[in-house]
Amino acid sequence: MRNTTIPMHYFSKTVSEADDKFQAACQAHSADCRKFTNKLAGPNGEALNISVARIGPAAASRRLLGLSATHGIEGYAGAAIQTGWLAEHGSRLAPDTAIVMLHFLNPWGVAWNRRENENNVDIFRNLNYQRQPCEPDALFDIIDDTMDLANWHRREPGKFAQEKAQFIAQIGGIERLISAVRRGQHHRPKSMTYHGNGPEWSAEVLFEVVDSQLTGATHVAVIDIHTGFGEYGQPLVMSYDPPGSEKHDRVSAWFDGDIYTPGQDVDIQSHLGSLPFAWMEGRLPGTKVTAEILEFGTFDPTTIGETFNANHHFHVFGDPLSPQGLEWGRKYRRYCYPEEDDWMKLVWQHGEAVVSRTLAGLTR
């Protein structure tokens, strides 16, 4: 019988609450579940866990991998979808099909209101560029030096706004700045969009899960859930594989052509040099891998002022638990996770549908 609980019940306010709800859903459906615990704790001393659950036969030829919190604080939305889907659909899978859910890939970022992990590393990019580091935009260092986030707290807001406007005009506009920053880098560990230099703990856990839970499958589908881009509460299913490729066309067919191709907007770049989740094929020889990113819009990024820069400053150079640090962290969290009833309803409804349609496509 379908659970009629309102969808907001699946959403959480803390990592501990989200962990408990996910574990309860796993137990209700006798899911095979395992925890990996980060060596660090949350701001209130809470444990930071990656939980991995499997529903369906271990040797299923078709398997779906669902990820939440690759980008830390964005993970509450994905966690709610994972918990809700298990609660409402966990006992109903097609034959020879399994679903593996990795709950909170970057739990430190969830707990501390950060997109990055405890080492200021962007896990999505850490995974993507593990074998072939990206070449940073030549403009990145100039932008980073000009932004000087280590001294963000010493700025005179009016004066800096004027200087920033002049600088943006000199380099060719805001899209040129965003493009350089979003491309990221490996050589400035305390700067924006840092990819790391070698696999982070979250990446190592994911590698172990891929090896132990997905080896032997004929076809693996991946859903990696994010927030912060697009219209409020609305979903964007993305395929980073180029149009015309078998993988891109497969995702497009699953969603009747209604998908987004990265590279159309400066905020979502294409990563053509190293396609996201292509690395999985090296760990799963002979397995067909179809990856999709599910993004949910929140707010217009032009309306949040210095939130990104301030949150970075207090985490990397200041004290995130100071009154100012906590306030900027709350603002950053709200951008990534609005916690408003109408937003949560949309996220659950669309998220449930995307998981179901992906499973249907996987079993064709």
Side-chain angles (χ1 to χ4, degrees):
M1 181 176 178
R2 183 180 174 85
N3 189 333
T4 58
T5 305
I6 58 173
M8 283 77 80
H9 173 76
Y10 301 131
F11 293 80
S12 302
K13 292 188 176 297
T14 67
V15 291
S16 298
E17 182 186 0
D19 279 344
D20 289 345
K21 289 179 178 179
F22 185 70
Q23 292 297 323
C26 290
Q27 291 170 12
H29 293 282
S30 302
D32 179 66
C33 193
R34 181 182 179 188
K35 280 187 180 181
F36 300 81
T37 302
N38 193 294
K39 64 182 180 181
L40 300 179
N44 297 307
E46 63 270 41
L48 303 178
N49 301 310
I50 296 175
S51 296
V52 182
R54 190 196 76 249
I55 293 284
S61 62
R62 299 175 295 245
R63 302 177 212 175
L64 170 63
L65 173 65
L67 303 174
S68 64
T70 305
H71 276 154
I73 188 56
E74 299 178 15
Y76 280 115
I81 293 167
Q82 291 173 316
T83 296
W85 198 92
L86 281 175
E88 301 210 10
H89 303 277
S91 299
R92 300 191 299 274
L93 281 174
D96 197 26
T97 303
I99 183 167
V100 177
M101 290 188 175
L102 193 153
H103 182 269
F104 284 168
L105 179 58
N106 172 14
W108 188 94
V110 182
W112 286 91
N113 297 330
R114 280 283 274 167
R115 192 173 187 265
E116 297 77 15
N117 77 343
E118 59 270 27
N119 297 318
N120 190 43
V121 173
D122 181 316
I123 296 300
F124 183 83
R125 289 164 171 79
N126 184 251
L127 290 165
N128 194 37
Y129 294 108
Q130 59 180 288
R131 290 182 293 186
Q132 181 181 348
C134 79
E135 288 293 330
D137 191 305
L139 188 59
F140 181 90
D141 289 2
I142 297 171
I143 294 172
D144 189 42
D145 291 341
T146 301
M147 297 296 288
D148 190 19
L149 294 184
N151 292 302
W152 178 90
H153 61 306
R154 296 192 176 97
R155 291 179 182 169
E156 297 177 29
K159 180 182 178 182
F160 181 78
Q162 183 179 15
E163 292 173 348
K164 181 179 177 181
Q166 292 173 346
F167 174 71
I168 289 173
Q170 289 172 1
I171 65 173
I174 189 65
E175 288 199 350
R176 182 69 185 92
L177 182 148
I178 293 172
S179 178
V181 172
R182 295 285 289 175
R183 186 168 181 179
Q185 47 85 30
H186 299 266
H187 63 287
R188 292 195 173 192
K190 293 188 175 183
S191 296
M192 304 169 285
T193 328
Y194 177 53
H195 298 169
N197 286 290
E200 292 290 307
W201 173 75
S202 294
E204 295 283 11
V205 171
L206 180 54
F207 297 158
E208 181 174 338
V209 170
V210 168
D211 293 347
S212 63
Q213 297 284 354
L214 303 180
T215 296
T218 302
H219 190 180
V220 169
V222 181
I223 304 176
D224 186 18
I225 305 172
H226 295 255
T227 65
F229 179 75
E231 298 297 320
Y232 182 88
Q234 296 303 310
L236 283 174
V237 176
M238 304 181 185
S239 171
Y240 275 91
D241 294 289
S245 67
E246 181 182 347
K247 296 178 185 177
H248 184 281
D249 291 349
R250 190 179 301 125
V251 176
S252 183
W254 292 353
F255 293 92
D256 299 325
D258 187 18
I259 67 170
Y260 180 91
T261 302
Q264 300 176 41
D265 187 285
V266 70
D267 283 320
I268 304 291
Q269 297 193 343
S270 59
H271 296 283
L272 288 177
S274 184
L275 294 170
F277 297 104
W279 58 267
M280 286 181 60
E281 294 170 334
R283 304 188 79 93
L284 301 171
T287 300
K288 181 166 58 178
V289 177
T290 306
E292 63 194 53
I293 310 298
L294 174 58
E295 183 86 40
F296 288 99
T298 57
F299 304 107
D300 182 347
T302 65
T303 65
I304 61 171
E306 285 292 294
T307 300
F308 290 97
N309 294 336
N311 198 47
H312 182 102
H313 166 79
F314 281 103
H315 275 282
V316 179
F317 302 106
D319 179 5
L321 297 180
S322 68
Q324 271 192 300
L326 289 170
E327 181 59 25
W328 285 109
R330 283 191 288 269
K331 291 179 179 179
Y332 190 80
R333 172 183 168 124
R334 183 169 185 271
Y335 176 79
C336 296
Y337 182 40
E339 293 184 86
E340 297 169 356
D341 285 359
D342 56 346
W343 186 83
M344 291 189 289
K345 286 179 182 177
L346 288 168
V347 167
W348 163 245
Q349 291 165 2
H350 291 302
E352 179 187 34
V354 167
V355 174
S356 296
R357 291 189 71 166
T358 301
L359 280 168
L362 184 63
T363 55
R364 287 175 187 167

